[in-house]
């Protein structure tokens, strides 16, 4: 099939669905905590995780890969992810789950195709991330409890980001032994994920050891150590990256101490250290590159973006403290400010792009 040029309007349209997935996922997260009961919008809290992982991250990452290849069939994954939001919210939850599964299958095919045309280790790592999403979605659609599925969902953004950082850090030229050590940590991560289904304690500990080793490797070798001395978006991205790596270290330390419960405040704290502390730090870091590449709209730099970043990390500390201390009110405050920080970041992008287009 011949490559062709995706229009920015087409890609921006898919980004709207990714944003819808994010907003509905955030709403479901607040509903899960017992808020918004008086609001007449039927978005159950139980779909918070599936929406954030699939409707938001799945659509966005799948779209980014499709835009790089510019082959029509690669849009199948993002399209099915976007369609599944409609089904999950307005039609039928099981249908939406199977659409998520099918969408993640096509995203995995896209990543495997990239491995075929460019057989690089970092592409294989990213393909392992999309495969983890597919496995997690398949288990969820077949009725597996979320506490068994979440480790696979966790693997999707974590392995994808690890692969991307390994690719970008070719500029730093880390020693070959160090590169293979990082690859070994990632395979340890995958092995621990599989082992977790056999022995939850040992599997989780292996995942956490691999997480700690990977985060320390990134702090030592990632290009953010250089770019933090730069200016504007480049410096901001470096701060986002380093703070995200810090959250991975905290996750590993607390994960080794407390293990991974099947529910409860410790479970909530550990997952949000990764999904909010690490993943959203990476999203904040890469937004100035991803959004222009998909929409064709440059995001002007503003020091304003440090505000949502500080709020994101500060509120997450509040939320985690509430979890570990058993203080529900503190956890609730942190959760609300988490959502506020993410919305402030998105609104800032929209306002600055709009102002630039007007001028």
């Amino acid at each position: 099939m011949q490559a062709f040029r995706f229009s920015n309007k087409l890609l921006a349209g898919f980004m709207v669905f990714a944003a819808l997935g994010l907003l509905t996922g955030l709403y479901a997260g607040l509903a899960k905590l017992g808020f918004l009961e008086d609001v007449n919008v039927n978005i159950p809290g139980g779909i918070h995780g599936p929406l954030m992982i699939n409707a938001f991250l799945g659509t966005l990452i799948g779209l980014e890969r499709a835009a790089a290849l510019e082959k029509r069939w690669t849009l199948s994954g993002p399209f099915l992810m976007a369609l599944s939001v409609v089904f999950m919210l307005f039609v039928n939850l099981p249908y939406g789950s199977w659409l998520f599964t099918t969408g993640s299958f096509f995203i995995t095919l896209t990543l495997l195709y990239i491995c075929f045309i460019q057989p690089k280790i970092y592409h294989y790592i990213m393909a392992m991330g999309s495969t983890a999403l597919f496995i997690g979605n398949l288990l969820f659609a077949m009725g597996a409890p979320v506490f068994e599925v979440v480790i696979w969902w966790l693997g999707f953004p974590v392995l994808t980001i690890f692969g991307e950082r390994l690719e970008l850090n070719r500029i730093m030229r880390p020693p070959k032994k160090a590169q293979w050590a990082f690859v070994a940590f990632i395979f340890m991560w995958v092995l621990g994920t599989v082992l977790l289904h056999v022995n939850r304690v040992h599997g989780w500990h292996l995942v956490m050891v691999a997480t700690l080793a990977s985060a320390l490797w990134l702090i030592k070798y990632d290009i953010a150590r250089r770019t933090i001395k730069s200016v504007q978006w480049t410096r901001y991205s470096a701060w986002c990256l380093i703070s995200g790596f810090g959250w991975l270290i905290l996750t590993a330390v607390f994960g080794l101490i407390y293990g991974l419960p099947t529910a409860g405040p410790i479970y909530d704290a550990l997952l949000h250290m990764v999904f909010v502390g690490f993943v959203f730090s990476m999203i904040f870091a890469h937004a100035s590159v991803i959004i222009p590449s998909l929409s064709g709209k440059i995001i002007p730099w503003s020091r304003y973006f440090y505000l949502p970043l500080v709020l994101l990390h500060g509120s997450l500390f509040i939320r985690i403290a509430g979890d570990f201390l058993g203080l529900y009110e503190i956890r609730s405050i942190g959760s609300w400010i988490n959502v506020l920080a993410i919305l402030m970041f998105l609104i800032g992008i929209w306002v600055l792009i709009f102002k630039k287009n007007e001028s």
Side-chain angles (χ1 to χ4, degrees):
M1 189 178 291
Q2 294 295 316
F4 71 106
R5 186 74 183 170
F6 289 153
S7 71
N8 289 129
K9 287 184 178 180
L10 174 66
L11 297 175
F14 277 97
M15 288 180 65
V16 169
F17 278 97
L20 176 63
L22 172 61
L23 294 175
T24 53
L26 292 174
Y27 182 98
L30 292 175
K32 190 175 182 179
L33 291 171
F35 302 121
L36 308 174
E37 292 179 351
D38 298 329
V39 180
N40 189 25
V41 178
N42 186 26
I43 303 178
I47 64 173
H48 167 63
L51 285 172
M52 295 297 288
I53 292 295
N54 291 281
F56 173 49
L57 290 176
T59 303
L60 189 63
I61 293 173
L63 184 62
E64 184 186 7
R65 300 304 164 199
L69 287 172
E70 294 196 323
K71 290 182 177 293
R72 290 183 179 90
W73 67 269
T74 61
L75 287 176
S76 302
F79 172 76
L80 289 168
M81 289 296 191
L83 184 63
S84 63
V85 180
V86 178
F87 271 77
M88 188 161 276
L89 292 177
F90 305 112
V91 182
N92 183 280
L93 179 60
Y95 288 168
S97 301
W98 282 108
L99 281 171
F100 279 148
T101 305
T102 310
S104 57
F105 173 77
F106 279 102
I107 291 173
T108 301
L109 284 184
T110 301
L111 270 293
L112 290 174
Y113 179 75
I114 293 174
C115 292
F116 175 75
I117 60 176
Q118 270 192 320
K120 303 291 185 181
I121 188 63
Y122 41 80
H123 288 150
Y124 286 110
I125 293 169
M126 288 185 262
M128 283 192 286
S130 61
T131 303
L133 177 65
F134 171 66
I135 293 172
N137 285 339
L138 184 61
L139 292 172
F140 181 70
M142 294 174 66
V146 170
F147 67 82
E148 288 185 1
V149 171
V150 74
I151 189 65
W152 294 102
W153 284 342
L154 201 69
F156 173 50
V158 170
L159 295 176
T160 299
I161 292 165
F162 282 176
E164 287 179 339
R165 296 319 301 170
L166 185 62
E167 179 183 13
L168 292 171
N169 284 316
R170 291 176 297 168
I171 301 169
M172 294 288 284
R173 296 182 179 178
K176 282 290 182 183
K177 287 184 179 179
Q179 294 182 48
W180 284 111
F182 188 65
V183 172
F185 300 151
I186 290 170
F187 276 100
M188 189 189 304
W189 208 102
V190 175
L191 179 61
T193 300
V194 175
L195 180 61
L196 193 136
H197 289 275
V198 179
N199 187 308
R200 188 172 178 84
V201 174
H202 293 161
W204 177 250
H205 283 167
L206 191 58
V207 169
M208 289 297 96
V209 169
T211 300
L212 179 60
S214 301
L216 292 173
W217 190 98
L218 286 167
I219 287 175
K220 180 175 177 58
Y221 292 110
D222 197 273
I223 195 173
R225 290 186 62 181
R226 287 186 185 176
T227 55
I228 202 167
K229 299 174 183 177
S230 187
V231 295
Q232 297 188 354
W233 275 117
T234 307
R235 182 183 177 90
Y236 175 82
S237 296
W239 277 113
C240 293
L241 290 166
I242 291 172
S243 58
F245 302 154
W247 277 111
L248 279 188
I249 292 173
L250 288 177
T251 304
V253 171
F254 284 106
L256 288 169
I257 294 171
Y258 291 97
L260 179 64
T262 56
I266 303 301
Y267 173 86
D268 176 85
L270 290 169
L271 293 185
H272 284 86
M273 283 184 193
V274 179
F275 284 123
V276 177
F278 175 62
V279 174
F280 269 95
S281 291
M282 300 301 109
I283 292 170
F284 283 18
H286 295 107
S288 63
V289 176
I290 294 173
I291 292 177
S293 69
L294 296 177
S295 67
K297 305 294 184 183
I298 302 297
I299 307 171
W301 164 247
S302 171
R303 286 180 293 178
Y304 161 85
F305 289 108
Y306 279 105
L307 177 58
L309 179 64
V310 170
L311 279 178
L312 183 80
H313 294 312
S315 60
L316 185 55
F317 274 114
I318 293 171
R319 177 177 186 148
I320 300 307
D323 277 326
F324 280 102
L325 297 174
L327 300 174
Y328 184 80
E329 293 79 8
I330 299 298
R331 174 192 175 190
S332 300
I333 291 170
S335 302
W336 272 106
I337 305 176
N338 274 170
V339 173
L340 176 64
I342 294 167
L343 293 178
M344 286 176 64
F345 183 78
L346 295 176
I347 292 169
I349 288 173
W350 185 84
V351 169
L352 287 169
I353 290 177
F354 182 77
K355 281 186 176 180
K356 182 177 175 62
N357 290 338
E358 275 194 333
S359 61

